[in-house]
Amino acid sequence: GCGASESACRITPGLLLGTALGALIVGLVPTRYLTLFFALFVYLVATQMVLGLKPTSTRATLSRTELTLAGAFIGCLSSLVSIGGGVLSTPYLLWHKLNLRHAIATSAALGFPIAVGGTLGYIANGYRAEALPAYSLGYVYLPALLWLIVGTMLTAPIGARATHRLPVDILRKLFALVLFALATKMLWKVLF
């Protein structure tokens, strides 16, 4: 079996494929358009969360094929816009009737395959690139990667505890607030 989370296990192959593919094609789409698309998408997701709107799903479980395809889409988009994927996978899992705490926990677990697939894709994509800073492996700047790993290891347990202690409605609104802030920051950088 897949262990604790059947959904995470079944979606992972698609995530790995999608993130690697997204990292390889990122050079084909101008960053400005990727950022605009992503920011608008995030505004939509955050608005749906605040208002409690979500499409109705006909069933809670999905086939392996459906989860693999969803994983490929989530992974590719995550890699293209350089996010961990929780912005996409959490609403997707909620749509399929997973409760909020399980959706957030599953999305957190999915961050690892997204990071692995995306990192390998960006290393391969930038392997022969010129004029990269020292301590780069392809397009991956190793000092920044190290600090991200350390920061994540220190703060992930805090987030996990907060997820279990906060009421679901407050958790949803806090997550939506973070999404609004992320989208606004991205738009600000592109437009101004």
Side-chain angles (χ1 to χ4, degrees):
C2 283
S5 176
E6 188 78 17
S7 296
C9 181
R10 288 185 170 194
I11 204 169
T12 297
L15 286 172
L16 289 168
L17 175 66
T19 53
L21 180 63
L24 291 173
I25 63 171
V26 74
L28 303 175
V29 181
T31 305
R32 179 180 179 88
Y33 296 121
L34 286 173
T35 304
L36 288 171
F37 170 77
F38 177 70
L40 294 175
F41 179 81
V42 171
Y43 277 131
L44 175 67
V45 169
T47 301
Q48 286 180 316
M49 290 187 81
V50 166
L51 298 176
L53 304 173
K54 57 183 177 180
T56 55
S57 177
T58 56
R59 62 197 187 284
T61 59
L62 294 172
S63 71
R64 183 175 301 274
T65 301
E66 289 171 297
L67 280 168
T68 300
L69 290 174
F73 175 76
I74 290 168
C76 186
L77 192 56
S78 297
S79 185
L80 287 172
V81 294
S82 300
I83 59 165
V87 170
L88 304 170
S89 57
T90 299
Y92 176 77
L93 294 169
L94 290 172
W95 181 43
H96 289 288
K97 301 185 189 279
L98 205 62
N99 75 49
L100 183 63
R101 285 189 174 92
H102 285 103
I104 290 172
T106 301
S107 292
L110 296 177
F112 182 72
I114 288 172
V116 168
T119 300
L120 293 175
Y122 278 101
I123 288 170
N125 195 21
Y127 185 70
R128 298 198 186 272
E130 296 177 15
L132 294 175
Y135 308 109
S136 292
L137 185 57
Y139 289 127
V140 177
Y141 183 56
L142 297 175
L145 177 63
L146 174 66
W147 284 110
L148 283 170
I149 291 170
V150 170
T152 300
M153 290 174 62
L154 294 174
T155 58
I158 297 167
R161 280 194 300 276
T163 298
H164 289 290
R165 291 189 177 144
L166 291 173
V168 171
D169 191 47
I170 291 174
L171 196 57
R172 181 176 29 254
K173 288 178 180 169
L174 286 173
F175 188 62
L177 183 66
V178 169
L179 293 180
F180 280 126
L182 173 68
T184 302
K185 180 181 178 187
M186 292 182 82
L187 276 179
W188 184 266
K189 286 176 74 174
V190 167
L191 299 176
F192 301 105

